[in-house]
Amino acid sequence: MNAYDAKRISDTLVAHNFEQAFDATEAEILIFYTCNIRERAVQKLFSNIGLLRNENTKVIAVGGCVAQAEKSNIFQHKHINIAFGAQTYHRLPEHIEDVLAGKRRQILDIEFDQAQKFECLPERKNVSFSEFVTIQEGCDNFCTYCVVPYTRGREYSRPAKDIIEEVKSLLSRGTKEITLIGQNVNSYHGEAPYISIGKPKETWRLERLIREIAELDGLRRLRYTTSHPKDFTTELMRVHADVPVLVPFAHIPVQSGNDRILNAMNRGHTAQEYMDKIAKFQDICPRIQFSSDFIVGFPSETEEEFADTVRLAELVGYTISFSFKYSRRKNTPADKMAGQIPDETKERRLAILQQALLKDQICHNNALVGQTQEVLFEKVGRKPNQYIGKNVYLQSVIVESNVNLIGQFKNVKIETAGENSVMGKVVE
Ligand code: 5AD
Ligand code: SF4
């Protein structure tokens, strides 16, 4: 989502006659867009400012969740002029103008103003073959470890019409792959584009939005992220089975495999309920593969409770996973919980879990050998004539080619598998 926001910030500034610099040394305005989800966010920000600030710097702006969480404390760094939130970046051009004109030296703008922000953003520029589209922002779930409900605000779903227009405009300019994004994307409930006479105004769920977007001309591949297990409906599983452009891949973070911990995290489901959804999904859409996020060392997590997480991961057999040590975040309920776990224990548990997850990932990659997979190529590899792309499961696929493949879909016969990528040959 920060990548999406950063692009929209750049579009907004260009629309106000600012120009993008090629590197920080020649930039007069430095904008840092930040994430606060895990530790040391503020230190990382301050050290990056130290690295990039130079004699040409006239304005330093800090946006996103660190600004939102730190509020005016951020100005303890004396070179920061503007702190703006994830919901106020449409007003950044005027703030920069004010600082440049010497009208104000420090500006704090961290309101929650999602609807207004989206209305004010200019048309997308610098369109690529693969693009994110934000459909929903914020979160009402209040998992006890998480800062997002405080920094991104309450849930907001963009009207379906605006999303469809944004997607159509991207497709008309050559985008082939779209990823619909939201902090809690499968709780999307946006205003429907039309009114049925005699009926109250409808809202669309993600399921309906995907079915409509999938019909648009030019779309080759559709993804969405990130979802919450409790909002995962049977209908969404059916959409995966029915809609060919939607990838047979779902990121459904489980965080822990133990019921007491899931409850303490306020996740709203048990391990068995999660497993039941996975089984049902596999039943409805046999090609489906999963990825997940995990947190180890949540306050008071015992060795047995941690072992439940490893067991659940092994049972599901995830294609890719993202696992983290629990990180204490200011003003979240878990920060005040008894039984904070020492870092060495978290470190050890993370290594054990990651070893189990890697085994599944390697197993998945090995199973691809001999298969032909559709790959969208994104960048060059390290060796000459190497190109790297992604298959439907977000796995990296490497091939050799004398022609530039970037931005193209190709069928690739997979020949060898590694831990984090597979290699193969383009087949016509
Ligand atoms: N500590 C560690 N990991 C966290 N995440 C969110 N908050 C924390 C935290 N305080 C992880 C969760 C989430 C992912 C985006 O980041 O696994 O799904
Ligand atoms: Fe954070 Fe996701 Fe929980 Fe929302 S659902 S509070 S974003 S972890």
Side-chain angles (χ1 to χ4, degrees), residues 37 139-143 145-149 183-184 226 228 255 267:
I37 201 129
C139 184
D140 293 346
N141 287 320
F142 290 91
C143 299
Y145 51 80
C146 185
V147 289
V148 167
Q183 261 87 40
N184 207 356
T226 182
H228 194 297
Q255 316 295 358
R267 290 291 291 173

Side-chain angles (χ1 to χ4, degrees), residues 70-98:
E70 292 298 313
K71 305 190 174 67
S72 56
N73 287 340
I74 200 109
F75 295 119
Q76 65 182 263
H77 190 297
K78 65 178 192 302
H79 294 296
I80 296 176
N81 305 104
I82 302 164
F84 62 101
Q87 312 308 345
T88 55
Y89 56 73
H90 54 297
R91 293 198 284 262
L92 187 58
E94 60 186 274
H95 296 329
I96 294 176
E97 299 283 8
D98 281 357

Side-chain angles (χ1 to χ4, degrees), residues 236-253:
L236 187 51
M237 300 173 193
R238 284 198 200 102
V239 176
H240 276 274
D242 297 347
V243 173
V245 292
L246 182 63
V247 290
F249 182 64
H251 182 64
I252 317 181

Side-chain angles (χ1 to χ4, degrees), residues 138-151 153-155 184 228 230 262-268 331-334 337:
C139 184
D140 293 346
N141 287 320
F142 290 91
C143 299
T144 53
Y145 51 80
C146 185
V147 289
V148 167
Y150 312 99
T151 57
R154 311 308 300 267
E155 276 189 22
N184 207 356
H228 194 297
K230 75 174 169 43
L262 284 168
N263 186 42
M265 287 176 163
N266 191 30
R267 290 291 291 173
N331 302 324
T332 57
M337 286 180 187

